[in-house]
Amino acid sequence: MKRLGCTPFLWIALLSAPACQTCPPSSQILVAAPDFHSAEQAGRSFFAALGCDDGRAEYLAFGEPLKERYGATLDLYLLGRQDLRKELGPAVGQAWRLEPIGTTQGEPGQWVHWGLGKRVVVSLLMQEQHYFEFREDDGRLVGAPLNGPASTLLRKEGRSMLLEINDPILRSLGDGSRVVGLTVASEWKIADYRVPVEDEN
């Protein structure tokens, strides 16, 4: 069987054809070490995972609303991820080539529109999420989402800065273990997505 070349002749073919290059090194880096510090970098991390066909890395880019859609667990997402790939359509085959081409305000969050050239292929609703995470000396992690940024939890008393976290999950901290690390941070995650509807006229 003759192998077809990789040069599309029409724009539609370019959008519909699978990416001709296997997962590029830049995408492999983002899959191994995703970056959620900004809405755009979180989007790049997701598209890197999508292009490399890595379901676990895709799931890491999801915010709580999108996790709920897939049953909130990685296992359930992996069972249904073909639905996501089908809905995203052309964005899957060209994931590693997509670039942010604009933003609009979402409720809440912001829509980041991704495409090739000036044509939007998919839009991601990005929301900033806040969380805390304790690391115990046995390597176990205990954490949960926060309702607001760390600044709302900090209280200054004299020369001390106090951080107050009140969450039921903290009961699971082991009595015999020792907390050796604490992370309180914010990161951008995907809350929703939409694909432009093609004009049939």
Side-chain angles (χ1 to χ4, degrees):
M1 179 184 291
K2 183 178 179 181
R3 185 168 182 173
L4 297 177
C6 227
T7 305
F9 296 101
L10 298 171
W11 180 257
I12 297 300
L14 174 64
L15 289 176
S16 301
C20 296
Q21 178 179 342
T22 57
C23 186
S26 58
S27 293
Q28 294 177 32
I29 291 171
L30 277 177
V31 169
D35 183 351
F36 303 120
H37 289 97
S38 71
E40 286 190 3
Q41 280 302 106
R44 289 187 192 281
S45 296
F46 171 69
F47 288 121
L50 192 68
C52 294
D53 197 19
D54 189 315
R56 179 184 171 279
E58 292 166 9
Y59 183 79
L60 288 177
F62 290 179
E64 297 304 315
L66 203 51
K67 287 180 179 178
E68 288 294 329
R69 184 182 303 180
Y70 289 97
T73 68
L74 173 60
D75 290 345
L76 288 176
Y77 169 65
L78 293 178
L79 289 174
R81 70 186 284 258
Q82 290 307 317
D83 294 337
L84 170 72
R85 296 176 72 83
K86 183 177 179 181
E87 289 175 14
L88 290 178
V92 177
Q94 300 297 329
W96 59 273
R97 301 184 63 221
L98 297 178
E99 291 291 336
I101 57 177
T103 61
T104 53
Q105 187 61 39
E107 290 296 332
Q110 66 181 35
W111 287 99
V112 181
H113 310 292
W114 295 79
L116 299 171
K118 295 182 178 180
R119 181 171 180 174
V120 175
V121 176
V122 63
S123 299
L124 302 179
L125 179 61
M126 309 302 297
Q127 292 180 353
E128 193 174 20
Q129 293 188 169
H130 314 284
Y131 70 97
F132 72 91
E133 187 174 73
F134 287 97
R135 179 183 296 276
E136 298 185 75
D137 56 2
D138 60 0
R140 195 168 68 101
L141 298 174
V142 176
L146 292 168
N147 292 327
S151 58
T152 63
L153 306 173
L154 292 171
R155 181 165 46 90
K156 186 174 182 296
E157 284 190 4
R159 295 168 56 185
S160 300
M161 186 69 73
L162 305 180
L163 173 66
E164 184 173 342
I165 298 176
N166 184 7
D167 193 287
I169 199 171
L170 295 179
R171 295 192 190 111
S172 66
L173 285 172
D175 293 333
S177 60
R178 187 168 58 95
V179 172
V180 296
L182 167 64
T183 299
V184 181
S186 301
E187 56 189 8
W188 287 86
K189 293 295 182 82
I190 304 169
D192 200 357
Y193 61 88
R194 65 185 179 200
V195 177
V197 177
E198 294 292 335
D199 187 357
E200 297 181 355
N201 297 326

